[in-house]
Amino acid sequence: KDQRPLVERPTPKNKITEEERKEIIETVNKPEYADLAPSQIVPKLADEGRYIASESTIYKVLKEEKMNTHRGRTSPPVKKETPTHIATAPNQVWTWDITWLNAFIKGQYYKLYLIIDMFSRLIVAYEVWEEEKAELAERLVRKATLSQGIAGRPLVLHSDNGSPMKAATFQATLEKLGVQSSFSRPRVSNDNPYSEALFKTMKYRPQYPFKGFKSLEEAREWVGKFVKWYNHDHLHSGINFITPYQRHYGLDKKIMKNRIKVYEKAKAKHPERWAKDIRNWTLPEYVSLNPISEEEAKKIIG
């Protein structure tokens, strides 16, 4: 039998005494400290020439005494749940954002409004303007729903917490179109990963004019060429190296079958060169906004 739990161990030298613990509890409950956090109490005590314990020790004592609750009259912080949406086909979940494109004149920027389909990564709509306005965002969403022929169908539109995204007129437009709004957690850019990844791909293109665009027309022309390349030529690693256009319009299955046939033929010709199975050319059945387990996905999908 394991004897380690039964061995008497010496008391740690840095452990506080019961008298010190009592002093900590009495101090933090005094009227002048009752609504302060330990991070505020410790400096105040130091200004008075007192030291009763370190900040971490006070936190530890409060936790052990079940007194580590929100102190003060303000509302306690609420932990936002991670937004989770799942797409099993195109035009179920879109994400959108606005990025700034630097102009040739220092301090001037053009604004790229862009919507991407989460399942296929296809850019379904984009526009470049000189300003950020809710009216321009409304125009973009209308344009996207018309181009995809999904007006009135269930759709989730995810974005960050920018002012154009939360404008009342924009939200009213989404409601009329039957689009459900979804927002990232405050100050969490990872909640909109597909749009952010696309912007990075765009701005790290060798042809990107890092010195800035000379005019709005030049910015629109360059973005138009990028969108065409991204949708029709770019082999996207997130969808196993097929183009967003192929994934969006159902051409992916035929392409993957052909790739599997090519690899099986190569393996049959030289089996000694293959230690394992051929490369995995399957495509994911679903795409989630944030990583989730297969069990959670099955519950959501039903």
Side-chain angles (χ1 to χ4, degrees):
K1 187 178 179 180
D2 187 2
Q3 299 295 311
R4 286 175 294 181
L6 306 176
V7 175
E8 292 186 8
R9 291 177 173 79
T11 303
K13 294 180 181 180
N14 61 348
K15 184 178 180 180
I16 61 173
T17 62
E18 284 302 318
E19 290 76 14
E20 289 172 324
R21 173 183 286 268
K22 186 178 179 181
E23 183 183 9
I24 290 172
I25 296 171
E26 289 177 352
T27 301
V28 299
N29 284 311
K30 286 183 177 181
E32 60 268 35
Y33 301 124
D35 61 345
L36 298 178
S39 59
Q40 298 282 329
I41 295 173
V42 169
K44 284 185 175 292
L45 291 174
D47 293 342
E48 297 172 6
R50 293 179 61 199
Y51 177 87
I52 59 173
S54 66
E55 184 179 323
S56 60
T57 299
I58 296 176
Y59 271 113
K60 183 179 179 182
V61 170
L62 290 175
K63 184 177 180 181
E64 291 172 349
E65 297 292 329
K66 297 182 179 179
M67 297 168 59
N68 194 24
T69 57
H70 182 70
R71 302 167 72 84
R73 297 178 63 187
T74 58
S75 300
V78 178
K79 185 177 180 181
K80 299 281 186 179
E81 290 188 10
T82 305
T84 300
H85 299 291
I86 287 182
T88 57
N91 297 326
Q92 291 181 349
V93 182
W94 289 352
T95 73
W96 85 282
D97 204 350
I98 301 172
T99 191
W100 290 19
L101 309 175
N102 50 315
F104 191 73
I105 300 173
K106 189 174 181 181
Q108 182 180 341
Y109 298 91
Y110 301 111
K111 288 32 175 221
L112 169 60
Y113 297 65
L114 190 144
I115 299 176
I116 182 174
D117 184 275
M118 191 174 78
F119 180 79
S120 64
R121 312 304 203 277
L122 184 82
I123 298 173
V124 294
Y126 74 94
E127 287 191 356
V128 182
W129 296 95
E130 293 179 315
E131 53 191 348
E132 285 188 21
K133 292 176 65 177
E135 292 85 349
L136 299 176
E138 293 169 34
R139 169 176 167 156
L140 182 72
V141 175
R142 289 182 185 277
K143 177 181 174 181
T145 53
L146 285 171
S147 68
Q148 293 297 308
I150 59 168
R153 284 171 48 187
L155 173 69
V156 173
L157 183 64
H158 182 81
S159 68
D160 60 21
N161 292 274
S163 55
M165 292 75 169
K166 288 203 163 184
T169 54
F170 179 65
Q171 291 300 311
T173 299
L174 295 185
E175 189 175 345
K176 288 178 183 177
L177 294 171
V179 178
Q180 177 188 340
S181 294
S182 171
F183 297 102
S184 301
R185 290 168 293 175
R187 298 174 295 280
V188 182
S189 61
N190 290 346
D191 281 350
N192 198 4
Y194 299 100
S195 292
E196 296 295 339
L198 192 154
F199 290 151
K200 183 177 180 181
T201 299
M202 180 185 69
K203 294 183 179 181
Y204 278 81
R205 287 282 293 158
Q207 297 86 358
Y208 184 78
F210 61 91
K211 289 185 178 180
F213 294 98
K214 294 179 181 178
S215 65
L216 178 62
E217 289 69 28
E218 184 181 80
R220 286 173 172 171
E221 183 181 355
W222 190 92
V223 172
K225 291 179 180 177
F226 168 78
V227 170
K228 184 179 180 182
W229 168 83
Y230 184 88
N231 280 345
H232 297 273
D233 300 322
H234 175 50
L235 299 180
H236 201 298
S237 60
I239 47 178
N240 213 347
F241 300 97
I242 57 174
T243 68
Y245 180 88
Q246 291 166 342
R247 177 68 160 163
H248 196 82
Y249 292 103
L251 307 176
D252 49 345
K253 296 179 178 62
K254 184 178 179 181
I255 292 169
M256 289 307 185
K257 283 181 181 179
N258 184 63
R259 288 181 183 179
I260 292 170
K261 190 183 295 184
V262 169
Y263 268 63
E264 286 178 342
K265 185 178 179 180
K267 184 179 180 180
K269 187 175 181 180
H270 292 287
E272 70 280 0
R273 298 177 182 175
W274 301 76
K276 298 180 180 179
D277 293 333
I278 63 170
R279 176 170 172 165
N280 181 12
W281 288 116
T282 58
L283 289 164
E285 295 180 4
Y286 65 87
V287 178
S288 60
L289 183 63
N290 281 301
I292 58 174
S293 65
E294 289 189 15
E295 291 76 14
E296 290 177 301
K298 288 177 181 177
K299 287 180 182 178
I300 296 173
I301 296 171

